Amino acid sequence: MHHKKVLLISRTTRLHDRMRELSHELDISVLLATPDTFDQAITSTADFGLVALDLAGVSDDLASRVSAYSAENGCIPILLVTDEDRLGQLRMPVQGRNDFILAGAGAAEFEVRMTQLLWPGEENTPSDIVVIDNMTINLATYQITIDDKPVDLTLMEYSLLSFLATHPSRAYSRETLLHRVWGFEYCGGTRTVDVHIRRVRSKVGPQVANHIVTVRGVGYLFKL
């Protein structure tokens, strides 16, 4: 995978921290723009590999202009970010290889969806395959296998396990895990993390479960 530039267009700053985190996880640089500075952004920097458009408070006219900009520049992939209550109004661009994601999605889902758009055909590179003992995590396809057999995890369970496994040897508080895995807008309490940790441990079996360590007074750590 080689370096790519991402243009984030958002009327608010709700995705800014998420994009900064991703710029450390992926080989990308992110240019932040608002609907008012969109024209300036596309003239100041060229060769974007992806346009991320936060639809909250964005006019249909701007969405059309972004779609047209993409089509006129080789069908740059577009990742639409929307809220769950607005899914019924979502309209995907006709041209190009595009996708959408909910604003409250976890960090792992953002990383996978952006990777698939930025580096098509390279989704299953070795860096997307994590092998720990008898467990294999495919970060590109959201699949986890134990002894080559698929494990039935919910999206939240998968996101929690994959985040911990790809950030080993560091203790994360329950609040941090809510923030990084569940997303900024998640309103549940920290006990939600404990519930999901128990479910993950029960599903992956004792060999992998032993890697998920409870750090008293802090949270959880994935030990290699």
Side-chain angles (χ1 to χ4, degrees):
M1 294 182 181
H2 53 285
H3 184 80
K4 294 287 186 75
K5 299 175 184 176
V6 175
L7 173 63
L8 170 65
I9 308 163
S10 180
R11 189 169 292 281
T12 71
T13 61
R14 66 176 182 169
L15 298 177
H16 287 189
D17 286 343
R18 173 60 49 80
M19 289 298 171
R20 291 189 185 97
E21 292 168 5
L22 286 171
S23 68
H24 295 296
E25 301 294 333
L26 301 174
D27 188 13
I28 62 172
S29 56
V30 181
L31 177 64
L32 305 176
T34 67
D36 295 332
T37 61
F38 168 64
D39 291 327
Q40 179 182 350
I42 60 177
T43 55
S44 63
T45 304
D47 300 325
F48 288 112
L50 174 69
V51 177
L53 175 61
D54 184 358
L55 293 173
V58 167
S59 67
D60 291 341
D61 176 66
L62 178 66
S64 297
R65 288 167 57 205
V66 171
S67 181
Y69 166 72
S70 165
E72 293 166 2
N73 289 271
C75 289
I76 301 170
I78 300 173
L79 178 65
L80 298 177
V81 184
T82 188
D83 294 294
E84 188 170 4
D85 60 357
R86 301 291 297 173
L87 276 175
Q89 289 76 48
L90 181 65
R91 297 293 180 270
M92 297 295 295
V94 176
Q95 295 180 293
R97 187 170 181 268
N98 310 299
D99 200 354
F100 76 93
I101 189 170
L102 295 180
E109 184 173 355
F110 264 93
E111 184 172 337
V112 169
R113 289 187 184 273
M114 289 182 64
T115 297
Q116 290 175 332
L117 291 175
L118 283 164
W119 295 281
E122 301 178 39
E123 294 93 339
N124 289 308
T125 61
S127 62
D128 292 320
I129 305 297
V130 179
V131 179
I132 300 168
D133 290 347
N134 61 336
M135 175 180 69
T136 300
I137 304 175
N138 189 319
L139 298 173
T141 63
Y142 296 69
Q143 293 175 317
I144 292 180
T145 60
I146 302 290
D147 293 325
D148 296 323
K149 297 179 181 178
V151 181
D152 184 19
L153 298 179
T154 67
L155 178 59
M156 287 297 98
E157 291 165 357
Y158 163 82
S159 298
L160 178 59
L161 177 57
S162 62
F163 176 81
L164 288 172
T166 55
H167 297 79
S169 305
R170 176 178 175 180
Y172 288 93
S173 69
R174 293 166 177 82
E175 291 81 1
T176 298
L177 289 172
L178 279 174
H179 175 78
R180 296 289 296 273
V181 177
W182 273 260
F184 297 107
E185 299 181 1
Y186 185 78
C187 299
T190 55
R191 184 164 174 74
T192 299
V193 178
D194 298 327
V195 172
H196 281 76
I197 287 287
R198 285 199 300 271
R199 291 174 179 169
V200 168
R201 283 170 170 163
S202 68
K203 290 182 178 182
V204 298
Q207 187 171 351
V208 175
N210 286 336
H211 288 277
I212 306 173
V213 178
T214 301
V215 182
R216 187 182 297 275
V218 181
Y220 296 97
L221 174 150
F222 196 92
K223 179 182 66 176
L224 293 179

